[in-house]
Amino acid sequence: AEAVAALIEETHREAQDQSRQSAIFALSEALVMESADLALRRAAQTVQAQDVNAAREARIHRLSYPEQRLQETIADGERLLDVRGERVAQVNGLTVVDLGDYCFGFPVRVTARTYAGEDGLLNIEREVELSGPIHDKGVLILHSHLSALFAHIAPLALNAAVVFEQEYSGVEGDSASCAEFYALLSSLSGLPIRQGIAVTGAINQHGEVLPVGGINEKIEGYFRSCELLGLDGQQGVLIPRRNVRHLMLEAKVVAAVREGRFHIYTADDVGEGMALLTGVVFGDKGVGPYAVDSVLGRAQKTLQRFRRACAASAVHHGPEHPKGHRSQL
């Protein structure tokens, strides 16, 4: 019975849902066959849960070499990843690598820079054609929400750039738009973000956090990275609350969460997430102006300073045309 339960649990994991099972029976058949073979090798009369789990682990071991190599780049310090302390304008995002017969999660650092100007938000991945249309859409949506938050001081005198650090194979999907938003808001507010908490989630124009795919692989991938660098009880992930029903995590991660060595936080709104990451109240998302000691209030102060700088620059460097010269638009 325990082996049947383990098999059923694996079908839920394949479906990424606690209430639905996968109908890809070829995967279940392969798992049954390998589990039975392992049971025969140890001269057992029936297949036990340990055989199903061993078969699953053996499959992962056969297919996970690319994941192992990427994790080694973190352990060796080749790929930069901070899982302790705090940093301004820097957050750990969560991505999924799909190899067809095997998927795995992997963390990536997201950074942002903001300064006075009139160019708006620059998506560096898009500029170098390493960004897919869905990711581009996510960046435009977060820019729209950012602009709406500060509509009372519009137009925004802002130049901003956001980038996935050390990512050279392309980015697709909108699941990092929350991480990008937090990095931008951290840069504007000057508030540091907890590096031990990695972030995944999409954002809509109202600031609501939307569910994403590959949630189990993302959490497990970041957990492995934290294991390599050393778990300290402060690390974890921030995911959309709407993804809770999709959690079917491996036993090692579940045990770490139960023991308080790793944490899973959820949020319905980007304000909840930013408050968790910074320890500072987000602010009332009204029409502004915002309380000076809130995240939005600090960002508001920076944007007002940017606007004054641009206005002063326009006065000082205004166009001067010779008498009788007509400029063309």
Side-chain angles (χ1 to χ4, degrees):
E2 290 82 2
V4 174
L7 180 65
I8 292 173
E9 185 173 351
E10 185 62 19
T11 64
H12 281 283
R13 180 181 169 86
E14 287 291 339
Q16 296 270 328
D17 199 298
Q18 295 175 359
S19 61
R20 294 181 174 88
Q21 294 175 252
S22 170
I24 306 177
F25 300 119
L27 296 176
S28 298
E29 181 183 12
L31 185 59
V32 167
M33 292 173 66
E34 189 164 358
S35 302
D37 181 69
L38 291 172
L40 287 173
R41 292 187 188 188
R42 61 184 186 86
Q45 295 298 314
T46 57
V47 176
Q48 302 295 321
Q50 67 185 70
D51 301 312
V52 177
N53 293 329
R56 179 178 178 273
E57 290 298 322
R59 178 180 181 275
I60 292 174
H61 181 71
R62 292 192 297 269
L63 300 173
S64 63
Y65 180 71
E67 177 186 14
Q68 176 188 332
R69 289 293 298 121
L70 280 174
Q71 292 287 357
E72 286 173 356
T73 63
I74 291 177
D76 296 338
E78 298 173 15
R79 187 175 288 264
L80 303 180
L81 183 73
D82 293 326
V83 296
R84 295 182 181 83
E86 298 179 331
R87 299 287 187 278
V88 175
Q90 177 177 305
V91 63
N92 292 325
L94 298 175
T95 65
V96 168
V97 179
D98 189 348
L99 301 178
D101 54 356
Y102 182 68
C103 295
F104 64 92
F106 191 70
V108 60
R109 176 185 289 181
V110 179
T111 59
R113 297 295 299 271
T114 56
Y115 40 93
E118 298 177 352
D119 295 334
L121 177 59
L122 172 70
N123 174 11
I124 293 179
E125 265 75 27
R126 180 183 180 182
E127 293 300 311
V128 296
E129 299 182 354
L130 281 176
S131 175
I134 299 177
H135 179 252
D136 292 342
K137 177 182 177 181
V139 173
L140 292 173
I141 289 172
L142 79 86
H143 188 209
S144 173
H145 179 57
L146 186 70
S147 300
L149 285 174
F150 302 102
H152 58 288
I153 54 175
L156 298 183
L158 170 70
N159 282 2
V162 62
V163 65
F164 283 66
E165 301 286 353
Q166 295 182 283
E167 177 55 58
Y168 309 110
S169 57
V171 177
E172 179 58 308
D174 61 355
S175 65
S177 55
C178 274
E180 293 167 315
F181 178 80
Y182 293 141
L184 282 168
L185 207 52
S186 172
S187 179
L188 286 171
S189 66
L191 291 168
I193 287 177
R194 294 169 60 184
Q195 298 301 291
I197 301 178
V199 176
T200 187
I203 182 176
N204 67 14
Q205 292 194 95
H206 301 289
E208 296 170 310
V209 180
L210 307 179
V212 296
I215 194 69
N216 296 295
E217 290 82 3
K218 290 175 179 178
I219 294 173
E220 291 165 357
Y222 185 62
F223 178 78
R224 294 186 190 106
S225 298
C226 291
E227 273 191 316
L228 285 173
L229 299 175
L231 285 169
D232 62 5
Q234 302 300 312
Q235 292 128 349
V237 294
L238 173 61
I239 67 171
R241 196 182 309 278
R242 294 171 177 85
N243 269 128
V244 169
R245 62 172 291 171
H246 305 132
L247 293 179
M248 293 294 300
L249 297 164
E250 60 186 24
K252 184 165 61 172
V253 180
V254 174
V257 172
R258 184 184 299 116
E259 297 163 5
R261 296 184 292 114
F262 193 76
H263 307 276
I264 298 178
Y265 304 99
T266 62
D268 281 321
D269 186 271
V270 289
E272 299 174 42
M274 193 64 182
L276 171 71
L277 294 172
T278 62
V280 177
V281 63
F282 186 66
D284 184 17
K285 292 199 301 182
V287 296
Y290 302 111
V292 294
D293 57 346
S294 66
V295 174
L296 293 178
R298 293 167 187 252
Q300 172 185 262
K301 183 178 180 181
T302 300
L303 288 169
Q304 289 171 334
R305 188 175 73 248
F306 286 173
R307 189 169 183 178
R308 289 194 297 269
C310 287
S313 177
V315 171
H316 184 68
H317 300 289
E320 296 182 2
H321 303 294
K323 186 175 181 180
H325 177 77
R326 178 176 296 177
S327 60
Q328 295 183 348
L329 299 180

